[in-house]
Amino acid sequence: MIKFALKVVLMAGVFYGVAYLLDGVDVVANPDGPLGEFGTWLWIALIFAVVNAIVGPILRLFSLPFVILTLGLFLLVINAALLGITAALTDRLTVDGFGSAVLGGLLLAVGGWLADQLLDRD
């Protein structure tokens, strides 16, 4: 449970970086929220984690032939879809187009992998 909470915190930082780097991914921070602006980043990272845990495996399973056919590149489209679903679930995150979603999904995948590497150290 602690690893999950730490990963959400790290992914909030990754979301901050993605929103800073990409013009098509915008986060409307809420300074009046319980945790301030950082709470908005945590909320978006938590929603993304839940969407990734519930919808992600289903999308990966149904798209397995495309993933195999494209040698894994279709996983970028799946990550873009997960980012789009997250944006649809909250009014604090907007993704302007498919290109921004794919680049954002790629950066989130790399950031998630780095977070996993940091947290799996013994």
Side-chain angles (χ1 to χ4, degrees):
M1 189 66 165
I2 292 175
K3 272 189 177 182
F4 177 76
L6 287 174
K7 185 166 181 186
V8 168
V9 171
L10 289 174
M11 288 304 291
V14 172
F15 263 103
Y16 181 80
V18 168
Y20 180 77
L21 291 174
L22 295 178
D23 289 333
V25 178
D26 296 317
V27 174
V28 179
N30 183 10
D32 298 329
L35 296 175
E37 289 186 10
F38 185 66
T40 305
W41 300 101
L42 284 175
W43 177 247
I44 292 171
L46 180 65
I47 292 173
F48 183 75
V50 170
V51 167
N52 198 11
I54 295 172
V55 180
I58 296 168
L59 285 178
R60 288 181 192 96
L61 178 67
F62 285 140
S63 65
L64 189 60
F66 296 111
V67 172
I68 293 171
L69 186 65
T70 62
L71 301 175
L73 288 177
F74 195 74
L75 290 172
L76 293 174
V77 175
I78 293 172
N79 285 340
L82 294 173
L83 183 60
I85 292 169
T86 303
L89 290 175
T90 180
D91 59 347
R92 297 286 174 187
L93 174 67
T94 58
V95 180
D96 289 339
F98 182 72
S100 297
V102 169
L103 285 175
L106 176 65
L107 292 174
L108 286 170
V110 170
W113 177 79
L114 287 173
D116 284 338
Q117 296 301 312
L118 286 173
L119 295 175
D120 285 340
R121 287 186 164 179
D122 292 328

